[in-house]
Amino acid sequence: DDDREFAEVAALHLERVDEGLDVVTESSAQDGLARLRTAPIDCVVSDHDMPGMDGLEFLKAVREEFPELPFVLFTGKGNEEIASDAISAGVTEYLQKGVGTDQYTVLANRIRRAVGETRAKSALRESERQLSTLISNLPGMVYRARNESGWPMEFVSDGAADLVGYEAAAIESGSVSWGSLIHD
């Protein structure tokens, strides 16, 4: 926020509402970008009306360098056009500034939710990467079948071709029945 006093008051209220939040402030989008490049930041909260680079331009600059970083546009002069543009540009949350301190509870909750979702997606990607690495390094094959007649396959690893002579896709599609490959 280009209004340093507002930014400091907002930071104070956010940290009071949620003691787990550690808030740092910058008074321009350029300073915000510089901070992002030098410090680990979990979420950006930005005003829209700022000199030099407005909130939407800041959002676009952040998305270019940090595409997964949660970004909350917290503005006092919002309208439907700004909200629509923000959503189109990939804003995580859009919230209008209000009167009173209740707005900081809402803002803190939105920050927590956005950061939690981003961390969960990142953890899932890492878990999938580890599982994929494990499966690709196992000898033989890995599969997941439904407990039905013929054992229809939901997943078959690439090791199937070496083990049974059929490509994984043929077994998954059902053109080759897993049940026909099993001998008593």
Side-chain angles (χ1 to χ4, degrees):
D1 201 302
D2 61 323
D3 181 345
R4 283 189 185 274
E5 187 175 320
F6 177 82
E8 293 301 324
V9 168
L12 180 69
H13 283 296
L14 281 171
E15 289 177 339
R16 277 190 191 149
V17 166
D18 188 332
E19 292 178 0
L21 294 180
D22 181 23
V23 181
V24 293
T25 62
E26 295 295 343
S27 59
S28 74
Q30 292 299 338
D31 291 344
L33 283 171
R35 170 84 65 154
L36 289 172
R37 292 177 185 128
T38 60
I41 302 294
D42 293 320
C43 182
V44 172
V45 178
S46 176
D47 191 12
H48 178 266
D49 288 334
M50 298 181 292
M53 180 186 292
D54 70 23
L56 293 177
E57 294 167 335
F58 182 36
L59 169 63
K60 289 174 185 170
V62 168
R63 286 289 174 254
E64 286 178 13
E65 291 186 55
F66 309 93
E68 302 298 319
L69 186 65
F71 191 106
V72 178
L73 194 61
F74 184 53
T75 182
K77 295 183 180 177
N79 59 41
E80 287 182 26
E81 182 181 348
I82 292 172
S84 177
D85 290 346
I87 291 166
S88 295
V91 74
T92 309
E93 292 282 347
Y94 177 86
L95 185 64
Q96 284 198 309
K97 294 176 184 174
V99 178
T101 58
D102 289 344
Q103 65 184 331
Y104 299 108
T105 301
V106 174
L107 179 57
N109 288 336
R110 298 224 180 147
I111 292 168
R112 277 277 178 215
R113 183 178 62 215
V115 170
E117 287 175 4
T118 299
R119 287 179 179 167
K121 286 176 187 175
S122 178
L124 178 60
R125 277 193 304 274
E126 177 59 17
S127 178
E128 288 173 343
R129 185 197 64 77
Q130 289 175 355
L131 181 60
S132 177
T133 300
L134 173 66
I135 288 172
S136 67
N137 287 308
L138 287 173
M141 74 181 244
V142 175
Y143 63 91
R144 181 178 60 237
R146 291 191 308 272
N147 188 12
E148 298 173 12
S149 176
W151 299 98
M153 293 292 168
E154 294 179 347
F155 168 79
V156 178
S157 71
D158 291 335
D162 292 336
L163 187 64
V164 297
Y166 295 98
E167 295 297 321
I171 299 170
E172 286 177 345
S173 70
S175 63
V176 174
S177 169
W178 182 249
S180 70
L181 299 175
I182 299 175
H183 300 283
D184 290 339

